[in-house]
């Protein structure tokens, strides 16, 4: 415990013996001033209580807490100390050499030593009541009623008991804060603020530092971050995302509320205390994202964690500004701002890297079944996740794709993006989808069967549309863009149908009533051969989208089956007469329809490619 420099060397008991009590302190009436009289009366009132709680003269006072023993007496103690200080101030102005001042100063030092001890004990023994979460909850006016939401399924009696318990905790916290404030104001007004502040900083800083440590935030060297395995870094980022929520909402908020309350009487002390207590922990917390943005290894999946960190700070920006509004905490705000800047730069870099990855994709890796390419699945998964981040609008505000990124207006009219909620994001997404479509077009040229190339394009564009419709990309690109792509899917499907099935339809005789039995028989043989060959080849292809699959089959059936049914029905009489003739007919119209219904469920596997690195990004982010 602090030894006060102005304390007399002799004990307080000898001091009291040397100076008689006020009732025996007789001065010649003419020489006693008003301030002397007031001091004499004040000493008579305050001395007994101050001496009672002097740990130097009383074993009871040494082992007992004034505030825990009798709070009413504790506040009386503070009131008397304030009264003593006022009297000392008045007497010093009138007669600075008065011996009464020496006596009063000695009593003041005893009182300050007592209050210093009480302040330390209250802070040390009430960590639960002064826990930042408890302080934040109480002072943010989260009422007992709202706290009872956790007991919604309990009985009325249980809710009442829970309410009483919560009320008791809140009352206890309020009482402790009231005690600390009273002591702090008394010590500060008496000129002993330095001792009070030292204790407060020491204890509260340890709580904040411990809180940051328990939240899993640590100061990492840039080289350590650069060498860190991606999975380990991802875990640290997840821990940080949780930490920043708790730290801003609870830890720093609770400390600000407590500090503002205890030191309400002095703006400068409030600032000095809060700065000392939180600055180091806050700098470590808000410096982590900048460190990761500048030093982590590049990878497609990094962008999502980067955006998560950017969002975590951006969403709490007003609160951060409020918590660290002091001039001495401006470095904390600047650190958070620098992290936002570096995270934004990292996002733009990752988008450019993603574009490069798309451009490097090999054109030779097609899909045997003409189905949806893995590149399409991974790219659209990637883009649909990106579209969920509203902060992209701020990050990409003045960063459109490179000048070489020229899209034809038939694909995306940039003037339309002005109506988009995030024009820059719209242009970026449209451009990346355009790069993907160009890659798919290049891959389609490697199909030997041109009809399969068209089906491949229809399937992949349909998948793109499906992801656009089911994500925020829809609102960013607009309905006109979707309508144009739907029209392109229909054209690709129509080209597939024409190249694949038109020659089957053409084999069906037109003037079915004018055919001889031999001509009809040859007609059935041709139809069997061409349909079987076409059907066999189309069993290998797949149309994953159910709606598109049904549309293609229905379109083929509408053109093929009526013509075949007319030919078949026209020859039924001849078939009934001639069993040999009937044996040539392989399909009834219903059989041909059933054969068509079996199509487009092929099991062609997706090709592997550079896009495998993109799929890991979606798995990582979903985790």
């Amino acid at each position: 415990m602090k030894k006060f420099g102005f304390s007399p060397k002799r004990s307080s008991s000898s001091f009291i013996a040397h100076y008689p009590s006020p009732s025996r302190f007789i001065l010649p009436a003419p020489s006693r001033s008003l301030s002397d009289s007031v001091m004499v009366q004040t000493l008579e009132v305050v001395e007994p209580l101050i001496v009672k709680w002097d740990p130097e003269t009383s074993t009871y006072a040494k082992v007992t807490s004034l505030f825990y023993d009798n709070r009413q007496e504790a506040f009386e103690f503070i009131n008397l100390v304030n009264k003593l200080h006022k009297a000392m101030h008045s007497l010093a102005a009138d007669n600075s050499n008065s011996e009464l001042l020496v006596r009063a100063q000695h009593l003041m030092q005893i009182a300050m030593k007592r209050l210093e001890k009480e302040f330390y004990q209250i802070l040390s023994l009430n960590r639960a009541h002064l826990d930042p979460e408890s302080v934040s909850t109480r002072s943010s006016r989260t009422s007992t009623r709202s706290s009872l939401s956790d007991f919604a399924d309990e009985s009325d009696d249980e809710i009442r008991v829970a309410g009483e318990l919560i009320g008791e905790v809140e009352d206890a916290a309020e009482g402790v804060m009231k005690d600390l404030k009273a002591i702090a104001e008394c010590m500060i007004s008496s000129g002993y603020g330095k001792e009070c502040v030292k204790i407060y900083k020491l204890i509260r800083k340890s709580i904040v530092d411990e809180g940051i440590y328990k939240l899993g935030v640590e100061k990492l060297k840039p080289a350590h971050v650069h060498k860190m395995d991606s999975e380990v870094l991802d875990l640290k980022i997840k821990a940080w995302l949780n930490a920043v929520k708790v730290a801003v909402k609870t830890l720093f908020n609770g400390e600000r509320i407590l500090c503002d309350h205890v030191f309400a009487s002095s703006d400068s002390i409030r600032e000095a205390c809060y700065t000392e207590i939180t600055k180091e922990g806050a700098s470590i917390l808000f410096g982590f994202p900048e460190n990761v943005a500048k030093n982590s290894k590049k990878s497609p999946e990094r962008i999502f964690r980067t955006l998560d960190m950017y969002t975590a700070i951006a969403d709490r920006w007003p609160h951060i500004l409020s918590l660290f509004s002091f001039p001495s905490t401006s470095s904390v705000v600047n650190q958070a701002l620098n992290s936002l800047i570096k995270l934004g730069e990292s996002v733009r870099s990752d988008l450019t890297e993603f574009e490069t990855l798309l451009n490097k994709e090999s054109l030779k890796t097609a899909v045997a079944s003409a189905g949806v390419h893995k590149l399409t699945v991974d790219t659209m998964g990637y883009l649909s996740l990106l579209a969920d981040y509203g902060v992209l609008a701020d990050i990409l505000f003045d960063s459109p794709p490179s000048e070489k990124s020229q899209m034809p207006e038939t694909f995306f009219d940039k003037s339309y993006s002005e109506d988009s909620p995030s024009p820059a994001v719209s242009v970026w997404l449209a451009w990346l989808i355009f790069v993907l479509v160009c890659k798919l077009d290049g891959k389609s040229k490697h199909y030997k069967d041109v009809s399969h190339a068209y089906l491949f394009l229809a399937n992949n564009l349909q998948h793109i549309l499906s992801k656009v419709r089911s994500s925020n990309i829809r609102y960013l690109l607009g309905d006109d863009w979707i309508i144009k792509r739907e029209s392109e899917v229909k054209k690709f499907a129509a080209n597939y149908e024409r190249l694949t099935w038109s020659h089957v339809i053409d084999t069906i005789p037109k003037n079915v009533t004018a055919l001889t039995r031999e001509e009809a028989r040859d007609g059935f043989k041709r139809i069997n051969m061409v349909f079987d060959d076409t059907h066999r080849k189309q069993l290998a292809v797949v149309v994953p989208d159910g709606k598109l699959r049904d549309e293609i089959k229905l379109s083929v059936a509408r053109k093929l089956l009526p013509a075949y049914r007319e030919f078949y029905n026209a020859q039924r009489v001849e078939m009934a007469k001639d069993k040999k003739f009937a044996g040539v007919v392989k399909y009834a119209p219903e059989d041909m329809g059933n054969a068509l219904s079996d199509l487009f469920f092929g099991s062609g596997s997706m090709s592997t490619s550079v896009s495998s690195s993109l799929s890991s990004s979606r798995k990582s982010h979903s985790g």
Side-chain angles (χ1 to χ4, degrees):
M1 185 53 103
K2 171 178 170 42
K3 300 293 183 183
F4 289 86
F6 295 100
S7 297
K9 292 183 179 179
R10 56 181 173 271
S11 68
S12 57
S13 58
S14 64
F15 181 87
I16 294 170
H18 181 74
Y19 291 100
S21 67
S23 62
R24 293 183 287 119
F25 200 94
I26 307 297
L27 292 174
S31 62
R32 180 183 293 176
S33 66
L34 177 61
S35 56
D36 281 332
S37 299
V38 170
M39 176 58 77
V40 170
Q41 293 173 7
T42 301
L43 289 171
E44 186 176 34
V45 174
V46 304
E47 186 175 55
L49 189 58
I50 291 178
V51 171
K52 174 185 176 182
W53 287 99
D54 181 4
E56 297 289 332
T57 60
S58 167
T59 303
Y60 178 79
K62 185 179 290 186
V63 298
T64 308
S65 167
L66 168 61
F67 276 81
Y68 280 98
D69 185 64
N70 189 333
R71 286 185 80 237
Q72 184 176 351
E73 187 170 308
F75 277 92
E76 182 185 353
F77 185 97
I78 287 176
N79 287 333
L80 290 177
V81 171
N82 288 332
K83 191 173 184 180
L84 176 62
H85 179 259
K86 186 177 180 181
M88 289 174 66
H89 186 75
S90 178
L91 180 57
D94 190 43
N95 182 11
S96 61
N97 295 320
S98 172
E99 289 189 3
L100 289 173
L101 278 177
V102 178
R103 184 176 179 185
Q105 176 65 19
H106 178 71
L107 288 174
M108 181 62 73
Q109 289 178 352
I110 294 173
M112 290 299 109
K113 193 170 184 178
R114 176 80 250 173
L115 290 179
E116 184 178 357
K117 181 178 181 180
E118 294 293 324
F119 195 72
Y120 179 86
Q121 286 181 329
I122 294 171
L123 282 171
S124 300
L125 300 177
N126 289 278
R127 290 182 61 143
H129 291 144
L130 297 176
D131 174 76
E133 184 173 4
S134 301
V135 175
S136 296
T137 302
R138 187 194 71 82
S139 299
S140 60
R141 307 191 183 280
T142 303
S143 65
T144 300
R145 180 172 39 187
S146 67
S147 300
L148 292 176
S149 60
D150 293 337
F151 299 89
D153 297 328
E154 306 297 336
S155 67
D156 290 342
D157 287 341
E158 289 171 322
I159 291 176
R160 178 182 55 77
V161 171
E164 291 174 355
L165 290 173
I166 292 171
E168 289 174 8
V169 172
E170 291 181 348
D171 289 344
E174 188 170 357
V176 169
M177 291 172 69
K178 182 179 179 182
D179 294 347
L180 289 171
K181 181 180 181 181
I183 295 173
E185 289 180 347
C186 180
M187 292 186 72
I188 291 169
S189 65
S190 301
Y192 288 79
K194 185 177 180 180
E195 289 75 14
C196 175
V197 166
K198 183 179 179 181
I199 294 171
Y200 188 87
K201 286 179 179 178
L202 180 68
I203 294 177
R204 296 312 299 178
K205 186 177 187 304
S206 69
I207 291 173
V208 170
D209 291 345
E210 181 183 345
I212 292 292
Y213 175 78
K214 286 183 175 180
L215 288 171
V217 179
E218 57 183 315
K219 193 170 184 177
L220 299 173
K221 294 181 179 179
H224 188 192
V225 173
H226 184 69
K227 294 177 182 178
M228 194 173 290
D229 181 79
S230 59
E231 292 182 0
V232 175
L233 181 58
D234 194 54
L235 289 175
K236 290 191 177 295
I237 292 173
K238 286 181 179 179
W240 181 88
L241 290 170
N242 177 65
V244 77
K245 293 177 186 176
V246 176
V248 173
K249 181 181 179 181
T250 301
L251 188 61
F252 297 138
N253 186 43
E255 285 303 322
R256 180 65 189 262
I257 291 168
L258 182 61
C259 200
D260 286 353
H261 181 84
V262 173
F263 298 110
S265 62
S266 173
D267 291 343
S268 61
I269 291 179
R270 284 193 304 123
E271 177 175 354
C273 283
Y274 186 73
T275 301
E276 177 73 19
I277 290 166
T278 62
K279 190 174 181 179
E280 183 179 354
S283 295
I284 292 173
L285 180 73
F286 294 122
F288 176 80
E290 180 181 3
N291 193 357
V292 172
K294 290 168 63 176
N295 301 295
S296 61
K297 298 172 184 175
K298 289 184 177 182
S299 64
E301 65 270 17
R302 184 182 71 163
I303 194 171
F304 298 112
R305 290 303 178 206
T306 303
L307 286 166
D308 286 338
M309 289 190 287
Y310 189 103
T311 302
I313 296 177
D315 285 353
R316 292 163 183 80
W317 188 248
H319 205 172
I320 292 170
L321 290 177
S322 174
L323 288 174
F324 300 98
S325 58
F326 297 121
S328 56
T329 56
S330 60
S331 61
V332 173
V333 175
N334 289 336
Q335 177 59 79
L337 180 59
N338 286 337
S339 282
L340 281 178
I341 292 170
K342 294 302 179 183
L343 289 170
E345 290 174 358
S346 178
V347 168
R348 291 189 289 272
S349 174
D350 287 344
L351 270 182
T352 302
E353 184 70 19
F354 182 76
E355 178 188 349
T356 301
L357 198 66
L358 278 178
N359 281 317
K360 287 181 178 178
E361 170 73 13
S362 173
L363 295 176
K364 295 181 181 180
T365 55
V367 183
S369 62
V372 179
H373 199 284
K374 193 174 190 302
L375 180 67
T376 306
V377 174
D378 293 336
T379 300
M380 292 311 300
Y382 191 90
L383 298 183
S384 62
L385 285 175
L386 283 180
D388 289 337
Y389 289 92
V391 293
L392 266 180
D394 297 326
I395 294 172
L396 301 178
F397 177 72
D398 58 351
S399 303
S402 59
E403 288 297 323
K404 63 181 180 180
S405 309
Q406 296 297 323
M407 285 177 287
E409 287 190 6
T410 53
F411 190 85
F412 184 74
D413 187 347
K414 291 184 181 180
S415 64
Y416 293 158
S417 69
E418 294 174 3
D419 298 328
S420 166
S422 304
V425 180
S426 299
V427 174
W428 260 105
L429 291 174
W431 168 246
L432 292 173
I433 293 175
F434 178 70
V435 174
L436 170 63
V437 169
C438 290
K439 280 291 169 183
L440 294 171
D441 185 65
K443 290 177 182 293
S444 71
K445 292 177 170 53
H446 289 272
Y447 283 99
K448 293 180 180 179
D449 188 330
V450 179
S451 69
H452 288 182
Y454 281 117
L455 188 62
F456 171 78
L457 291 172
N459 277 329
N460 282 270
L461 190 53
Q462 182 67 20
H463 181 81
I464 291 171
L465 273 170
S466 176
K467 294 300 290 185
V468 168
R469 291 194 202 96
S470 62
S471 69
N472 285 330
I473 303 177
R474 173 175 198 144
Y475 308 108
L476 292 164
L477 296 187
D479 290 337
D480 287 343
W481 188 92
I482 292 175
I483 292 170
K484 287 180 180 179
R485 302 294 83 76
E486 287 174 340
S487 175
E488 290 171 7
V489 171
K490 289 179 181 178
K491 287 179 182 177
F492 290 140
N495 285 336
Y496 159 78
E497 181 186 326
R498 176 177 55 79
L499 291 171
T500 303
W501 295 98
S502 60
H503 66 288
V504 178
I505 298 169
D506 290 343
T507 59
I508 301 173
K510 301 299 182 288
N511 191 2
V512 295
T513 56
L515 298 175
T516 64
R517 181 182 295 183
E518 195 63 33
E519 287 173 336
R521 186 174 175 179
D522 290 342
F524 277 112
K525 286 181 179 181
R526 284 195 305 274
I527 292 171
N528 293 341
M529 181 181 66
V530 175
F531 182 82
D532 284 348
D533 182 61
T534 302
H535 184 269
R536 176 179 53 79
K537 289 179 180 178
Q538 302 318 303
L539 283 173
V541 299
V542 61
V543 180
D545 184 85
K547 185 173 180 290
L548 179 61
R549 183 170 58 242
D550 291 342
E551 286 176 353
I552 294 175
K553 286 196 286 192
L554 185 59
S555 180
V556 172
R558 282 174 176 169
K559 295 179 177 68
L560 177 62
L561 295 183
Y564 182 72
R565 183 175 287 106
E566 183 183 4
F567 174 52
Y568 179 88
N569 289 338
Q571 304 303 321
R572 292 184 69 173
V573 176
E574 293 299 323
M575 282 188 272
K577 292 179 183 177
D578 187 345
K579 288 186 179 181
K580 238 179 188 183
F581 184 18
V584 173
V585 181
K586 186 174 181 179
Y587 296 101
E590 294 75 17
D591 296 330
M592 189 171 283
N594 290 334
L596 290 175
S597 67
D598 293 336
L599 294 176
F600 310 130
F601 293 100
S603 58
S605 60
M606 290 184 182
S607 67
T608 58
S609 66
V610 177
S611 63
S612 61
S613 64
L614 304 182
S615 64
S616 64
S617 69
R618 298 193 301 131
K619 292 176 182 176
S620 171
H621 186 66
S622 62

